């Protein structure tokens, strides 16, 4: 818990955590928060401006922009988080067994990772879409199938460093099983690295899903999603720029908050970064105490 105290001292990180928590809560309780149904068509309110009943106005079908923005949190953020958790779980599993057992197991897992990482991510996702078709579920499946290898490779390196520690060797000498050693000794040490990796990938996955939806390859109409909302407002981006402003700002806000929080987590969990931040202060104090001593002598 001492590591996380530095996060509470970082105002941008605290604000980012509050923003992310509020957005996640709004997505979960969207039916209770949204003032209207996201698919409710009101052609008499087509392109209507903000009003007390429609705070962000109406789109080209008279639908409530605010309601669609709130419901768009679910595919844009919540489902991306679910796909990220599954991706991290698969990558961590293979990373743990490859880094701990090594040998033939490590060779097989790493060759699988090499194959998956040998192609650019966007190209592979487009290839998956071309094979199974466009759609929100297909993109999430492509995320899980393609991104686990990157997590597995990075986590494997972290596990290999911990597996050589003296306390792990001592546990083996006492007769502790592999599963017990991994759960008790290796997993807790590797969790900070996993948290930093997952938080840094979260923002990029949100941007990728919104980008594919903007191109018409992700979430399909009439479902509410931020990238889809940008796509629908593209034809009137000059006459009604506010229709693109709302989902665009939502994407920027969430991704920026995730990046700020990821940087704070990395600084709090990485001992090297904590030491680098403390060293300049220590040098200043040391130099300040040495100079008066020399003067007195």
């Amino acid at each position: 818990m001492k590591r996380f105290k530095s996060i509470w001292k970082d105002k941008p990180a605290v604000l980012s955590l509050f923003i992310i928590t509020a957005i996640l809560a709004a997505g979960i309780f969207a039916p209770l928060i949204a003032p209207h149904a996201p698919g409710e068509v009101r052609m008499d309110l087509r392109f209507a401006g903000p009003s007390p009943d429609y705070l962000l106005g109406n789109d080209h079908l008279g639908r409530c922009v605010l309601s669609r923005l709130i419901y768009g949190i679910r595919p844009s953020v919540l489902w991306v988080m679910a796909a990220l958790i599954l991706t991290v779980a698969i990558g961590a599993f293979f990373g743990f067994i490859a880094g701990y057992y090594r040998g033939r197991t490590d060779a097989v897992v790493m060759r699988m990772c090499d194959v998956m990482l040998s192609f650019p991510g966007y190209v592979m996702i487009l290839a998956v879409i071309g094979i199974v078709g466009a759609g929100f579920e297909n993109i999430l499946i492509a995320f899980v199938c393609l991104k686990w290898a990157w997590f597995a490779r990075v986590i494997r390196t972290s596990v290999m460093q911990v597996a050589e520690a003296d306390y792990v060797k001592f546990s083996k000498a006492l007769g502790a099983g592999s599963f017990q050693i991994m759960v008790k000794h290796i997993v807790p040490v590797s969790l900070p690295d996993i948290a930093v990796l997952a938080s840094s990938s979260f923002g990029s996955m949100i941007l990728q899903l919104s980008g594919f939806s903007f191109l018409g390859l992700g979430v399909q109409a009439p479902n509410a999603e931020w990238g889809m909302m940008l796509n629908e407002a593209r034809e009137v981006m000059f006459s009604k720029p506010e229709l693109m402003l709302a989902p665009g700002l939502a994407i920027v806000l969430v991704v920026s908050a995730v990046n700020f929080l990821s940087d704070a987590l990395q600084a709090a969990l990485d001992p090297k970064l904590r030491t680098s931040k403390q060293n300049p202060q220590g040098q200043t104090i040391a130099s300040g105490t040495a100079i008066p001593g020399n003067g007195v002598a």
Side-chain angles (χ1 to χ4, degrees), residues 95-228:
F96 278 127
I97 62 174
Y100 182 80
Y101 292 106
R102 302 191 181 184
R104 183 175 298 178
T105 302
D106 182 28
V108 172
V109 173
M110 287 302 100
R111 297 299 77 77
M112 292 170 57
C113 293
D114 291 340
V115 172
M116 301 303 297
L117 296 175
S118 61
F119 301 96
Y122 280 102
V123 175
M124 287 298 294
I125 293 176
L126 289 174
V128 172
I129 293 174
I131 295 173
V132 300
F136 173 64
E137 297 82 2
N138 295 336
I139 289 182
L140 293 183
I141 293 173
F143 281 164
V144 175
C145 294
L146 299 176
K147 293 181 178 294
W148 70 266
W150 183 73
F151 285 96
R153 178 174 288 276
V154 177
I155 294 171
R156 163 191 175 263
T157 304
S158 176
V159 172
M160 290 179 67
Q161 296 173 354
V162 179
E164 293 297 324
D166 292 336
Y167 61 87
V168 175
K169 295 180 180 178
F170 183 71
S171 298
K172 291 181 180 179
L174 292 177
S178 300
F179 181 78
Q180 182 181 357
I181 293 175
M182 292 180 66
V183 173
K184 188 176 181 179
H185 298 295
I186 298 180
V187 172
V189 179
S190 303
L191 281 179
D193 294 335
I194 296 175
V196 172
L197 289 172
S199 60
S200 61
S201 300
F202 188 31
S204 64
M205 291 178 67
I206 293 175
L207 285 176
Q208 289 176 4
L209 176 63
S210 299
F212 284 118
S213 297
F214 177 77
L215 296 175
L217 300 176
V219 178
Q220 302 296 312
N223 298 316
E225 196 273 335
W226 293 345
M228 174 58 61

Side-chain angles (χ1 to χ4, degrees), residues 68-83:
R68 293 182 62 79
L69 197 68
I70 295 174
Y71 273 90
I73 297 174
R74 293 184 169 186
S76 300
V77 181
L78 293 179
W79 281 107
V80 171
M81 178 178 289

